[in-house]
Amino acid sequence: MRKIFIDGGGNWKKIVDRYLALAEFDKIYVFEPNPIFYNSYETSDYDLIKKAIWTEDTKSNFFISKDANQVASSLLEEKLCKVDGSLVSNYWFDPIEVECINFSKWIFENFNKEKDDITLKLDIEGAEYRVLPHMIETGAINFLNKLFVEFHFDTLPDKKGMELKIVEEIKKMGIEVLDWD
């Protein structure tokens, strides 16, 4: 079996490298829509896909957070940002337009359940509340062997509790679900 690592929300390459130091993979894909991070992947052999993971192929506003590392940037304008220990809204530079990818469709088009052992890491700043249920609905979730995910219920308070239902449903399918810090 091919060992595949898919990083949803790559951020800086050094973040991806931190996990990859723990395991061997035959192929590594990194999804990152924020241009600030692109140059950190220039010397890597990872497949950098400069798109946001979503539920459809489209273009969307991407809200770049004003924090120094832009780590809270999101497709979701309603997502709050942590600033000096407080949660604030509208802590964005002007949004940029990014391409979004129907992640379930991409999984179906690129992988084989019987031939690929897939580890997915999702840190997509709130979009996980749409993407994971879509993957469950389409069956794309069944291609995964392991899922690392960071749920952003602290910055999307109206979503709090939804993550428990999503994780429970995924675990029932025999997929290992772990927290991503």
Side-chain angles (χ1 to χ4, degrees):
M1 291 197 64
R2 282 189 323 163
K3 290 189 58 79
I4 307 293
F5 183 79
I6 304 169
D7 189 332
N11 203 291
W12 300 106
K13 179 184 172 289
K14 65 183 177 186
I15 304 297
V16 180
D17 290 343
R18 182 181 73 190
Y19 177 80
L20 295 176
L22 304 175
E24 284 277 325
F25 292 94
D26 299 312
K27 188 77 173 165
I28 299 158
Y29 298 90
V30 178
F31 284 86
E32 179 52 63
N34 190 341
I36 193 175
F37 302 119
Y38 294 168
N39 66 354
S40 72
Y41 291 92
E42 284 178 357
T43 60
S44 80
D45 58 352
Y46 307 159
D47 282 6
L48 176 62
I49 301 168
K50 299 174 180 178
K51 297 180 181 185
I53 290 177
W54 195 235
T55 59
E56 62 182 320
D57 294 325
T58 190
K59 291 187 178 184
S60 180
N61 280 335
F62 186 71
F63 299 91
I64 305 288
S65 64
K66 293 179 182 177
D67 63 279
N69 291 312
Q70 299 182 352
V71 295
S73 300
S74 178
L75 289 171
L76 308 178
E77 185 175 16
E78 69 272 17
K79 184 177 172 287
L80 303 174
C81 291
K82 293 178 187 173
V83 179
D84 299 325
S86 299
L87 292 176
V88 297
S89 61
N90 300 318
Y91 191 69
W92 312 113
F93 291 113
D94 289 336
I96 62 172
E97 187 177 74
V98 298
E99 285 189 59
C100 300
I101 192 165
N102 179 330
F103 191 60
S104 290
K105 179 179 153 192
W106 183 81
I107 292 284
F108 285 123
E109 291 175 350
N110 289 281
F111 303 104
N112 180 310
K113 282 194 292 190
E114 286 74 40
K115 295 181 180 177
D116 295 314
D117 179 327
I118 300 174
T119 297
L120 171 63
K121 172 252 169 181
L122 276 184
D123 186 359
I124 53 177
E125 301 301 319
E128 66 275 6
Y129 289 102
R130 294 273 304 275
V131 170
L132 287 171
H134 187 256
M135 290 181 73
I136 293 166
E137 178 183 312
T138 62
I141 198 80
N142 293 307
F143 281 64
L144 306 182
N145 297 84
K146 187 182 287 187
L147 170 65
F148 288 89
V149 61
E150 180 177 356
F151 286 97
H152 294 83
F153 54 82
D154 55 336
T155 54
L156 287 162
D158 64 322
K159 304 291 187 202
K160 189 168 177 83
M162 286 179 62
E163 70 281 354
L164 301 173
K165 289 171 58 176
I166 294 170
V167 167
E168 182 180 312
E169 197 166 341
I170 294 170
K171 283 183 175 181
K172 283 181 187 174
M173 297 174 194
I175 299 162
E176 185 177 6
V177 182
L178 302 158
D179 287 330
W180 182 259
D181 63 31

